[in-house]
Amino acid sequence: MITSLLLAEGLAQLGCGIGAGIATIGAGLGIGKIGGSAMDAIARQPEATGKIQTNMILTSAFVEGCALFAIAACAFLIK
């Protein structure tokens, strides 16, 4: 009985760790795609650099905020 509870708690902690890792990887891939697309857009229209950079930074901040929320949720689920 006790060993099954310990196993369940251990698996829950493992799941939280994996979830936080996936959230971090997803945020990194998303921000990389945002940056790459912004560089492509700047290469096509150099006169729009200011607007493109502003939107890129704003969107990256939103992605980072969602990732931070996911990591914090995983951290709070660990007892």
mmCIF file of all heavy atoms in Angstrom, residues 37 39-47:
data_model
loop_
_atom_site.group_PDB
_atom_site.id
_atom_site.type_symbol
_atom_site.label_atom_id
_atom_site.label_comp_id
_atom_site.label_asym_id
_atom_site.label_seq_id
_atom_site.Cartn_x
_atom_site.Cartn_y
_atom_site.Cartn_z
ATOM 1 N N SER A 37 11.268 34.261 -38.630
ATOM 2 C CA SER A 37 10.272 34.868 -39.515
ATOM 3 C C SER A 37 10.427 36.384 -39.554
ATOM 4 O O SER A 37 10.240 37.009 -40.608
ATOM 5 C CB SER A 37 8.862 34.503 -39.047
ATOM 6 O OG SER A 37 8.656 33.119 -39.140
ATOM 7 N N MET A 39 13.245 38.022 -39.189
ATOM 8 C CA MET A 39 14.426 38.329 -40.010
ATOM 9 C C MET A 39 14.105 38.197 -41.496
ATOM 10 O O MET A 39 14.570 38.992 -42.318
ATOM 11 C CB MET A 39 15.596 37.419 -39.635
ATOM 12 C CG MET A 39 16.153 37.641 -38.241
ATOM 13 S SD MET A 39 16.741 39.313 -37.970
ATOM 14 C CE MET A 39 15.498 39.943 -36.870
ATOM 15 N N ASP A 40 13.295 37.211 -41.852
ATOM 16 C CA ASP A 40 12.861 37.070 -43.249
ATOM 17 C C ASP A 40 12.036 38.282 -43.682
ATOM 18 O O ASP A 40 12.200 38.797 -44.792
ATOM 19 C CB ASP A 40 12.034 35.802 -43.434
ATOM 20 C CG ASP A 40 12.867 34.538 -43.366
ATOM 21 O OD1 ASP A 40 14.107 34.633 -43.514
ATOM 22 O OD2 ASP A 40 12.275 33.452 -43.157
ATOM 23 N N ALA A 41 11.151 38.726 -42.808
ATOM 24 C CA ALA A 41 10.313 39.878 -43.134
ATOM 25 C C ALA A 41 11.147 41.146 -43.271
ATOM 26 O O ALA A 41 10.893 41.965 -44.162
ATOM 27 C CB ALA A 41 9.248 40.064 -42.061
ATOM 28 N N ILE A 42 12.142 41.310 -42.402
ATOM 29 C CA ILE A 42 13.011 42.489 -42.486
ATOM 30 C C ILE A 42 13.835 42.446 -43.774
ATOM 31 O O ILE A 42 14.068 43.479 -44.409
ATOM 32 C CB ILE A 42 13.902 42.597 -41.235
ATOM 33 C CG1 ILE A 42 13.046 42.983 -40.025
ATOM 34 C CG2 ILE A 42 15.021 43.610 -41.429
ATOM 35 C CD1 ILE A 42 13.779 42.896 -38.699
ATOM 36 N N ALA A 43 14.255 41.253 -44.177
ATOM 37 C CA ALA A 43 15.015 41.131 -45.420
ATOM 38 C C ALA A 43 14.154 41.506 -46.626
ATOM 39 O O ALA A 43 14.655 42.059 -47.600
ATOM 40 C CB ALA A 43 15.539 39.710 -45.575
ATOM 41 N N ARG A 44 12.860 41.220 -46.564
ATOM 42 C CA ARG A 44 11.970 41.548 -47.680
ATOM 43 C C ARG A 44 11.589 43.026 -47.693
ATOM 44 O O ARG A 44 11.446 43.616 -48.761
ATOM 45 C CB ARG A 44 10.693 40.707 -47.595
ATOM 46 C CG ARG A 44 10.907 39.262 -47.926
ATOM 47 C CD ARG A 44 9.576 38.527 -48.045
ATOM 48 N NE ARG A 44 9.824 37.103 -48.108
ATOM 49 C CZ ARG A 44 9.530 36.246 -47.142
ATOM 50 N NH1 ARG A 44 8.957 36.680 -46.034
ATOM 51 N NH2 ARG A 44 9.782 34.968 -47.275
ATOM 52 N N GLN A 45 11.382 43.597 -46.486
ATOM 53 C CA GLN A 45 10.956 45.001 -46.384
ATOM 54 C C GLN A 45 11.790 45.710 -45.320
ATOM 55 O O GLN A 45 11.353 45.856 -44.163
ATOM 56 C CB GLN A 45 9.483 45.098 -46.022
ATOM 57 C CG GLN A 45 8.550 44.680 -47.117
ATOM 58 C CD GLN A 45 7.118 44.909 -46.730
ATOM 59 O OE1 GLN A 45 6.738 44.751 -45.575
ATOM 60 N NE2 GLN A 45 6.307 45.301 -47.707
ATOM 61 N N PRO A 46 12.980 46.156 -45.663
ATOM 62 C CA PRO A 46 13.835 46.806 -44.659
ATOM 63 C C PRO A 46 13.242 48.090 -44.079
ATOM 64 O O PRO A 46 13.567 48.469 -42.958
ATOM 65 C CB PRO A 46 15.125 47.117 -45.430
ATOM 66 C CG PRO A 46 15.052 46.365 -46.696
ATOM 67 C CD PRO A 46 13.631 46.027 -46.947
ATOM 68 N N GLU A 47 12.361 48.740 -44.818
ATOM 69 C CA GLU A 47 11.775 49.990 -44.317
ATOM 70 C C GLU A 47 10.793 49.746 -43.171
ATOM 71 O O GLU A 47 10.443 50.669 -42.444
ATOM 72 C CB GLU A 47 11.080 50.760 -45.454
ATOM 73 C CG GLU A 47 9.855 50.084 -46.032
ATOM 74 C CD GLU A 47 10.165 49.068 -47.121
ATOM 75 O OE1 GLU A 47 11.340 48.865 -47.464
ATOM 76 O OE2 GLU A 47 9.203 48.473 -47.616
#
